[in-house]
Amino acid sequence: MAPPPPPRMLPRSTSFRGSSVSPASPHKGRHMSSSSIPKAATSPVAVAAQLSLLRAHARAGRMRSAREVFDAMPAPGRSLVAWTALMSGYATHGPATEALELLLCMLGLLLRPDAFVFSVALRACAAVGSLRLGRQLHGSVAKLGYVGGDLFVANGLVTMYSSCQSLRCAEKVFGGIAAPDLVSLTSMLSAYTENGCDAEALMLFVEMVRDGVACDAFTLSVALRAASSLGHVGLGHQLHCCMIKMGLVGNEFLDNCLIGFYGRSGELQLMQKVFAEMDVKDLVSWNTVIQSYAENLCDEEALAHFRAMMFECAECDEFTLGSILHVVTRRGTFDHGMEIHGYLIRAGLDSDKHVMSALMDMYVNWATLHKGHQIFPLRMLKYYLSVQGELDQFIVASSLKSCASDLDLAAGRMLHACILKSNANPDSFVTSSLVDMYAKCGALEESNLLFSRTKDPGTAAWSAVISGNCLNGQYGRAMHLFRRMQGEHVQPNEFTYTAALTACMALGDAVSGMEIHSNSIRNGYGTNTSVLKSLVNFYLRQGRYHQAQKLCLSLSSHEVSWGTFVEAFSQDDDHIGIVNLFHVLHRCGVELDHHTARLILGSCGKLALLEEGLEAHAYMTKHGLASTACMNNHLIDMYSSCGSLRHAFDAFNYMPDKDASSWTSIIAANVENGCPETAIRLFSQMLTKEKCRPTSQAFLLVLKACAETGLVSEAFRFFVSMTEVYRIQPSEGHFSHMIEVLSRAGMFKEAEHFIDSVVPSELLPNRMEMTRP
């Protein structure tokens, strides 16, 4: 609804146009009902009764009944009190424009409004956001001398200027109040918080406390809201203590504010404690707790409180359903979502656009996972139109998201046509959804054309078109659009930066990527999780692993794929980088997976860093990674590479279940560290006592040990066992070690006979290498 113009230009409502209206009977005929309008009476008792009835209806928000009583009052009984009561009702319960029209009628009747009437009119201006009319009223009350001498008017002016986003004017009015009372101070506090000046609000609150002003529940609630916005958890705790000291604990309104404060601050245990200690929990209390759990990704707790709420209260509202539907969508519990859908239909909430938007999001995600139900979100849109009768921007955007997810270009075009046919001016959200839908459905030229025809596109539209071009492989055009966006001084967001960085990675444009990094820091996105992840991937792609590692330290451990870093270092054979990264992970308390742990052990072994290897072993034992046979095999290999056969035996002996790979690892450790006799003994033990089936690698190692110790007969026994008993096909390595056994023993003729009779013909070109001692 557009704000009304100044009083002398204020247009009459539609009820003034079709009926004869006299000043004594404003809006005559709008709410006429022969059965409900009392008969006119002129006696003082009757007039007083009608005035009491008018006040009761207005205070209760029954404005239709209040207007009927007012219209039925005789002209002499329609005093200033009656006018003020009706105006106050409209200003409080709406529509506020009716209060302003009543003021116009009063001026037409030459009734002189008092300070309270002007304060009500200023409250109505605040409700409709009419700064121009509010300034005219300011001029009128200033001429009448009400500004400096009446707190009702001064407080109303502060509220009006605050609601119209004219904070400096509100400060000026507040500064002119000689002795501001608690209402004045609270009005100014609210003005600061409503206009985003939470620091100024807290400064004013501290001054109030220092001056000994006794705060009420509303003042403390405003201070709590400011502390929450600034993240001052400590100050919130102090305010909570003040409430306890002042005996305000148990106040339902303040308890709800405390729950909201602790929920927004992430202090969920304190929030739950305040909630549990409440004697009476209303719908606001339940909604605040459920919303706080949902926003902090505590889905189980949110669902548990929703069930408890339905059990105790047996009802909920649109705010409850909006929060819980987001939880259901995030968890993918669509059966529960369908139950909620049935409830909201029975409760008559299926026409609320916010609930329907959340419901649409749920079904869009459901349809994405169940390809056989792709058309369902569009049926939901049709159902919403049958109930509501007109398009809603949120619902349309959700439907377009469904079309983009299903790659349903035909349905998306149909929705676009409906938007154009409805003559509705799509907001930036719908426009960006259309651009995104066309791009994801492969109609990139339509997406770009729609964007080019958009007047003054906002950040969302720019982000959608840049991301769409990246999605379709047009990385050069995406970067061109990003530079145009910067040239037009449109503020990028995290989606813009991630799309532009994707284009830089595809183009290999390191310079532009680093420029985007600097730009994101200047615009306050240097610590944004999505942007940081994209920057990490960009620097990894560029081979700047240490720069990527520095950025990761700004992310929480669960948001970083540390294994990706270790893998990148491993592919580049940067074992020093892997070991350094392990020290960082150890300090941060990051939990690694088995694959990453194996890579770290391998790097410690290749660099022969025993101390780091011991540290990695301790870390893996602490986090339960050293309990598998595979990991213990890697530990044996690492200790063997570091030359510590004792630690390798310790790792082997602590293994509860030793398989053939474990025996092979410890045999290899002994062979590589100059203990061939022990290797042969372990191999024999594996065959006789443990009865493990040896691998081809184990035979290769024991033959090498036999060659080093000159045990010819044992070597032939093992070789025959490998081929005859275990049916393992000898490889070139096995033949080489057998020839080496014979050569080292000086049995060259036997070696030549072995080559001629046993070695396959395809290996004979390598005969000279085989016979080389």
Side-chain angles (χ1 to χ4, degrees):
M1 182 181 294
R8 295 186 181 275
M9 301 172 62
L10 193 66
R12 298 288 190 258
S13 67
T14 54
S15 61
F16 279 77
R17 297 174 185 172
S19 61
S20 59
V21 182
S22 63
S25 160
H27 294 259
K28 181 180 179 181
R30 172 179 287 189
H31 305 294
M32 293 294 288
S33 174
S34 58
S35 61
S36 59
I37 300 178
K39 294 182 180 181
T42 57
S43 65
V45 176
V47 170
Q50 285 183 319
L51 183 58
S52 298
L53 184 61
L54 171 62
R55 284 176 170 174
H57 284 314
R59 288 171 181 169
R62 298 186 293 268
M63 296 313 301
R64 182 184 180 89
S65 300
R67 189 53 176 267
E68 289 173 352
V69 174
F70 181 82
D71 288 342
M73 293 176 70
R78 208 176 277 159
S79 63
L80 186 61
V81 177
W83 286 89
T84 306
L86 188 61
M87 282 183 64
S88 181
Y90 279 127
T92 303
H93 303 288
T97 50
E98 295 290 343
L100 298 174
E101 291 197 8
L102 284 171
L103 176 64
L104 175 65
C105 291
M106 290 178 65
L107 296 174
L109 291 170
L110 301 180
L111 289 174
R112 182 185 174 118
D114 60 5
F116 186 74
V117 172
F118 277 116
S119 69
V120 172
L122 287 168
R123 189 150 38 97
C125 286
V128 300
S130 177
L131 180 60
R132 182 182 177 188
L133 181 56
R135 283 176 173 165
Q136 291 183 349
L137 288 174
H138 190 178
S140 299
V141 295
K143 290 179 182 178
L144 295 172
Y146 288 142
V147 176
D150 193 283
L151 284 175
F152 278 113
V153 174
N155 296 340
L157 283 169
V158 171
T159 302
M160 182 274 296
Y161 281 123
S162 169
S163 300
C164 296
Q165 286 81 47
S166 183
L167 184 61
R168 298 305 163 221
C169 293
E171 286 181 322
K172 190 173 181 180
V173 173
F174 178 76
I177 302 176
D181 61 355
L182 183 60
V183 177
S184 308
L185 292 164
T186 305
S187 298
M188 197 63 227
L189 276 175
S190 299
Y192 280 130
T193 55
E194 289 171 3
N195 287 274
C197 299
D198 299 295
E200 289 82 351
L202 289 181
M203 289 175 62
L204 179 59
F205 177 77
V206 171
E207 290 179 7
M208 291 172 58
V209 174
R210 287 175 180 172
D211 293 341
V213 177
C215 301
D216 61 2
F218 186 74
T219 310
L220 291 171
S221 70
V222 175
L224 269 176
R225 187 164 67 246
S228 174
S229 299
L230 293 173
H232 287 338
V233 181
L235 179 58
H237 292 165
Q238 292 178 359
L239 290 171
H240 192 176
C241 294
C242 288
M243 296 172 197
I244 297 173
K245 186 177 180 180
M246 296 168 62
L248 293 174
V249 173
N251 181 293
E252 189 174 319
F253 171 69
L254 265 185
D255 285 346
N256 290 337
C257 292
L258 272 174
I259 292 172
F261 166 77
Y262 284 128
R264 287 188 295 271
S265 302
E267 299 276 348
L268 300 183
Q269 291 184 345
L270 290 173
M271 178 196 73
Q272 182 62 39
K273 184 178 181 181
V274 174
F275 178 75
E277 292 176 354
M278 290 180 68
D279 295 329
V280 179
K281 303 178 179 68
D282 60 2
L283 199 55
V284 176
S285 312
W286 286 102
N287 283 345
T288 307
V289 167
I290 292 172
Q291 182 181 5
S292 297
Y293 277 126
E295 290 177 349
N296 284 276
L297 304 181
C298 298
D299 297 337
E300 287 290 345
E301 290 81 357
L303 288 170
H305 280 78
F306 176 70
R307 297 187 190 100
M309 172 187 176
M310 296 303 295
F311 179 77
E312 293 187 18
C313 304
E315 64 175 355
C316 60
D317 61 6
E318 62 272 19
F319 301 104
T320 322
L321 293 174
S323 298
I324 209 65
L325 281 172
H326 287 306
V327 172
V328 169
T329 303
R330 188 163 55 233
R331 289 177 57 84
T333 54
F334 300 114
D335 291 339
H336 195 185
M338 292 178 185
E339 294 177 4
I340 295 173
H341 187 183
Y343 171 82
L344 66 90
I345 292 175
R346 292 193 302 272
L349 294 172
D350 53 342
S351 60
D352 184 87
K353 62 181 181 181
H354 298 294
V355 173
M356 287 299 292
S357 178
L359 193 65
M360 283 288 292
D361 281 338
M362 184 197 75
Y363 280 120
V364 166
N365 283 272
W366 179 65
T368 303
L369 298 175
H370 301 79
K371 294 300 182 183
H373 299 84
Q374 293 177 352
I375 200 65
F376 196 80
L378 297 179
R379 291 181 179 174
M380 286 290 299
L381 175 64
K382 183 178 179 181
Y383 169 73
Y384 176 80
L385 288 174
S386 67
V387 174
Q388 193 72 10
E390 61 181 7
L391 288 173
D392 176 74
Q393 309 283 21
F394 296 103
I395 305 297
V396 170
S398 296
S399 303
L400 288 170
K401 178 183 176 183
S402 173
C403 296
S405 175
D406 301 333
L407 304 180
D408 193 346
L409 182 59
R413 285 172 173 162
M414 179 189 69
L415 279 174
H416 192 183
C418 289
I419 295 169
L420 297 175
K421 187 177 179 180
S422 65
N423 294 323
N425 186 22
D427 63 6
S428 59
F429 189 40
V430 172
T431 300
S432 62
S433 298
L434 281 168
V435 172
D436 180 69
M437 182 274 298
Y438 279 122
K440 287 182 177 177
C441 291
L444 183 61
E445 294 306 318
E446 292 181 64
S447 174
N448 289 329
L449 181 62
L450 176 63
F451 175 78
S452 65
R453 292 178 177 177
T454 303
K455 185 179 180 181
D456 298 327
T459 302
W462 279 103
S463 300
V465 74
I466 294 171
S467 178
N469 278 275
C470 286
L471 185 65
N472 287 273
Q474 299 296 320
Y475 302 108
R477 184 187 292 178
M479 287 304 299
H480 173 71
L481 287 166
F482 179 73
R483 295 189 182 98
R484 270 186 55 198
M485 179 183 182
Q486 290 181 302
E488 296 184 16
H489 305 290
V490 180
Q491 177 76 25
N493 60 15
E494 63 268 27
F495 303 106
T496 323
Y497 285 122
T498 53
L501 286 168
T502 301
C504 289
M505 283 188 280
L507 296 171
D509 192 348
V511 175
S512 296
M514 288 187 284
E515 289 176 355
I516 291 172
H517 187 184
S518 301
N519 186 272
S520 66
I521 295 173
R522 286 197 302 270
N523 290 323
Y525 286 92
T527 58
N528 180 272
T529 301
S530 300
V531 176
L532 280 174
K533 287 182 178 179
S534 297
L535 284 168
V536 167
N537 291 331
F538 166 75
Y539 283 118
L540 283 176
R541 188 73 62 88
Q542 295 296 321
R544 299 171 180 265
Y545 303 126
H546 297 286
Q547 181 66 28
Q549 180 180 327
K550 289 179 182 178
L551 290 174
C552 274
L553 296 178
S554 301
L555 293 167
S556 58
S557 58
H558 69 277
E559 293 173 333
V560 184
S561 178
W562 292 103
T564 304
F565 286 97
V566 178
E567 188 72 37
F569 281 120
S570 176
Q571 291 176 0
D572 204 44
D573 288 332
D574 187 358
H575 300 293
I576 295 177
I578 292 178
V579 173
N580 291 335
L581 181 59
F582 170 68
H583 290 305
V584 175
L585 302 182
H586 198 184
R587 287 196 302 269
C588 297
V590 178
E591 293 190 10
L592 304 177
D593 56 14
H594 288 81
H595 177 68
T596 307
R598 289 197 296 270
L599 292 176
I600 292 173
L601 287 176
S603 295
C604 292
K606 285 183 173 62
L607 297 174
L609 299 175
L610 180 60
E611 291 299 324
E612 282 75 5
L614 288 168
E615 184 180 350
H617 189 180
Y619 171 89
M620 292 166 195
T621 303
K622 180 179 179 181
H623 290 83
L625 295 174
S627 58
T628 63
C630 180
M631 188 60 67
N632 277 279
N633 295 341
H634 286 281
L635 282 168
I636 294 171
D637 294 340
M638 183 270 295
Y639 283 128
S640 172
S641 300
C642 293
S644 179
L645 199 57
R646 180 176 64 84
H647 286 100
F649 266 111
D650 288 341
F652 177 75
N653 292 329
Y654 282 130
M655 293 176 66
D657 299 315
K658 303 176 182 67
D659 58 7
S661 298
S662 308
W663 283 97
T664 303
S665 296
I666 194 63
I667 291 170
N670 281 272
V671 171
E672 292 170 0
N673 286 275
C675 297
E677 297 87 353
T678 307
I680 296 171
R681 179 176 56 80
L682 288 169
F683 184 81
S684 300
Q685 183 181 348
M686 177 180 68
L687 295 180
T688 56
K689 294 183 179 180
E690 301 298 332
K691 296 182 179 180
C692 290
R693 179 181 176 83
T695 63
S696 176
Q697 178 67 20
F699 276 109
L700 189 67
L701 291 167
V702 76
L703 290 176
K704 182 179 180 181
C706 289
E708 292 178 358
T709 55
L711 299 176
V712 178
S713 58
E714 285 80 355
F716 272 92
R717 181 166 59 85
F718 291 138
F719 185 81
V720 171
S721 174
M722 177 183 70
T723 56
E724 300 296 330
V725 178
Y726 296 102
R727 303 295 180 182
I728 296 175
Q729 186 67 30
S731 66
E732 182 178 344
H734 295 96
F735 290 123
S736 296
H737 287 313
M738 286 300 298
I739 294 170
E740 185 182 358
V741 168
L742 295 170
S743 299
R744 288 196 177 191
M747 305 168 68
F748 298 109
K749 289 185 179 180
E750 288 81 354
E752 290 182 0
H753 177 71
F754 182 83
I755 294 171
D756 293 336
S757 60
V758 180
V759 178
S761 58
E762 58 267 18
L763 299 179
L764 288 180
N766 298 328
R767 175 173 180 169
M768 294 303 296
E769 294 183 5
M770 290 183 176
T771 56
R772 185 178 299 161

